[in-house]
Amino acid sequence: MKKYKLFLLALPVVLFSCNDDAFLEEKPMDFLAPEVAYNTEAGIRQGINGLHYSVRNDFFFGEEIQEHTSTFKSLGTDVAFHGEDPNSTKFPCNFVNYWTSTNTIVVEWWRRPYRIIQRANLIIQYCEKSDDAIWTSAEKRDQFAAEAKFFRAWCYRHLVSTFGDVPVVRDVVSEAKTDFVRDPKSEAFKLMEEDLLAGVASLPDRTKEETPGRITKGAALHLLTEVYLMQQKYNEAVDAATRLINNMGYAIMTSRFGGAGNSVWGTGDVFWDLFARNNQNLADNTENIWSIQFDEPSVIGGSNSRGGRAWGPAYFRMGNTPDGVVAFRGELVNGSYTGYSDTLGRGVSWIRPTYYMSHLVWGDDFYNDIRNAPHMVKRDFYFDNPNSQYHGQKIDFSLYPASANRDPIRDTCQYIYPFFMKFFDPCHVMEAPTTSGNGAAYKDVYAMRLAEVYLFRAEAYIQLGQIDRATEDINVLRRRANATPVTADKVDIDYLLDERARELYQEESRWYVLRRTGKLVERVRRYNNNPLNPGLNIQDYHVLLPIPQNQIDLNIDHEFPQNPGYTK
């Protein structure tokens, strides 16, 4: 673009006799520009696809920025710590040392949403100024604009929760700008509500979207409910959630569904079916509101969720059996044993569950809650080498002699720990067979599921003092899970957070939930049992993250204050 502009600037010097303004107008002829790309319905549809691509890559393990997406998936809260190295400086293991204004995640958590907002604003602009003739219908134009607005609201939800007051950018930024202002959160919330109400009005109904994974009215209502909760508009949250539960064609799945290949472990249940391969987009799956689409390596634009890599233990690194042979023989590929199993993949222990998540939260329902069934949470691992007398025995580090000098931190934080299986796809290796898929998983991933809407409404009911109604909503999920129904005298915000962990671990971004309920600092201190940094050294000011220093430095024409507690 710079070269193109320089060439145009030179034209008046060479062709000084030309005075035709139209001749000097920039008209892209040999490269893609918005005025070329977005002058047809098909072009704008491609722009919408680009927003989906960006959200997938930026927030759901589509790119190899593991610390960014791992933290989005609740690393550093009450439910998870970094297992590969609990004292890592690359992951949030010590908040005081880690959360700085130059930290990579801080920069990315600011940059990526605003990048998506700029792209969404561009699509909205071209939808609104486009000639009616390019559209198959006015409804289609409104639908595409509403889908772009949904993504704008999605990003502002992230920015406001993470940073507090942020610039609210409603229009395309077409030139360098150095005077941004931190607008009050109320301005962002106002825009989010406007955008999502447009979505409720114009987006398609469930099953009427053009392709799987596209945004529907249900997704707009889901996010709108959350936005109301963030503002403590609890009556509005109840109304939005109730509309979504009762009137939009969704229902909690209570019977088994999907293909015959769902029971990889020789067992299963309806909860397993929700996360089984190819089940997310089925019309029969009335619980799916919005799922992120992943495709196998042969599909252009496909990507993987790193589901095994992120949550899986690095069992293959544990070394030898107690009698001195390799503990994991692995699969036979090209005549050699790999050391990796296609039922376990190649985990790297980015996200290890806390003891609260793996044990405490299940309470008396540890053995009957299907969300904690052995096929959902793999807790038992076995030596795999016929050359050892321990072959086939359950791994127990007490079997090792004292002379083995095992590292208890690595043994239980990096090598072997409970492996939550929602986003792993066992036995479906599509690439890198010598590393059993290298931690990749290609099944689709929920971004929104109706179960969360029941918990949204229960949260609002608790805040309104309507505990009996909150109890009813929570028990909808507990009955499906074969867990003991809770009684009203036990229901409060902490119980709700426990139930969210049981139902939504790996799916939700726990950061948003703990911030809006005022429980982030308290629960991280109480439950994050990182063995090298219990409680992660969290301070009260860590409720918000620091503004990236480069944003402050570049904003030279207006003051851009840092969040309290942080310095350069």
Side-chain angles (χ1 to χ4, degrees), residues 355-370:
Y355 184 73
Y356 158 79
M357 186 64 240
S358 63
H359 288 80
L360 286 180
V361 77
W362 304 103
D364 294 338
D365 288 296
F366 190 95
Y367 294 104
N368 53 286
D369 192 322
I370 65 175

Side-chain angles (χ1 to χ4, degrees), residues 261-264 272 275-278 296-297 341-345 424-431 436-443:
N262 290 350
S263 300
V264 172
W272 171 264
F275 301 93
R277 182 178 177 79
N278 297 325
E296 59 190 58
S341 166
D342 66 357
T343 61
L344 295 176
F424 181 51
D425 196 11
C427 301
H428 290 119
V429 174
M430 293 190 179
E431 60 180 341
S436 291
N438 207 34
Y442 290 89
K443 64 182 182 180

Side-chain angles (χ1 to χ4, degrees), residues 532-544:
L532 300 181
N533 294 294
L536 306 183
N537 199 15
I538 190 172
Q539 306 299 312
D540 290 347
Y541 64 84
H542 286 129
V543 172
L544 295 179

Side-chain angles (χ1 to χ4, degrees), residues 51-65 68-70 72-73 112 151 154 157 290-294 303-307 310-311 350 423 441 443-448 506-509 512:
L51 294 178
H52 282 270
Y53 178 88
S54 294
V55 167
R56 182 187 70 183
N57 281 12
D58 287 0
F59 293 98
F60 291 92
F61 291 96
E63 288 184 2
E64 187 70 10
I65 310 283
H68 169 68
T69 44
S70 295
F72 175 73
K73 301 305 286 186
R112 292 183 180 212
F151 283 112
W154 162 272
R157 180 274 306 259
W290 174 32
S291 56
I292 305 299
Q293 305 297 296
F294 292 95
S303 182
N304 70 78
S305 70
R306 314 304 256 175
W311 281 283
W350 292 339
F423 296 138
K443 64 182 182 180
D444 301 325
V445 170
Y446 294 110
M448 294 178 176
Q506 297 184 297
E507 298 175 74
E508 69 175 355
S509 179
Y512 301 155

Side-chain angles (χ1 to χ4, degrees), residues 30-162:
D30 62 350
F31 64 90
L32 199 61
E35 55 265 41
V36 176
Y38 295 154
N39 64 2
T40 66
E41 181 177 309
I44 293 178
R45 178 183 290 104
Q46 193 69 10
I48 296 288
N49 291 341
L51 294 178
H52 282 270
Y53 178 88
S54 294
V55 167
R56 182 187 70 183
N57 281 12
D58 287 0
F59 293 98
F60 291 92
F61 291 96
E63 288 184 2
E64 187 70 10
I65 310 283
Q66 61 263 31
E67 65 271 25
H68 169 68
T69 44
S70 295
T71 305
F72 175 73
K73 301 305 286 186
S74 303
L75 180 65
T77 64
D78 55 345
V79 297
F81 64 85
H82 181 55
E84 186 177 27
D85 175 9
N87 206 27
S88 172
T89 58
K90 189 177 181 182
F91 289 80
C93 297
N94 183 320
F95 280 15
V96 171
N97 296 335
Y98 185 78
W99 291 123
T100 68
S101 61
T102 57
N103 174 275
T104 300
I105 294 183
V106 168
V107 173
E108 290 298 309
W109 276 23
W110 181 277
R111 181 181 70 88
R112 292 183 180 212
Y114 273 117
R115 179 176 63 181
I116 294 170
I117 288 169
Q118 170 76 349
R119 293 169 180 172
N121 282 340
L122 195 63
I123 292 171
I124 295 165
Q125 172 184 296
Y126 275 89
C127 284
E128 291 177 346
K129 78 174 188 178
S130 62
D131 189 331
D132 289 348
I134 75 168
W135 296 98
T136 53
S137 68
E139 290 76 18
K140 183 64 68 175
R141 178 197 60 211
D142 294 344
Q143 174 188 321
F144 280 18
E147 194 160 3
K149 289 177 181 179
F150 170 89
F151 283 112
R152 182 165 67 180
W154 162 272
C155 289
Y156 274 116
R157 180 274 306 259
H158 167 82
L159 288 165
V160 168
S161 176
T162 305

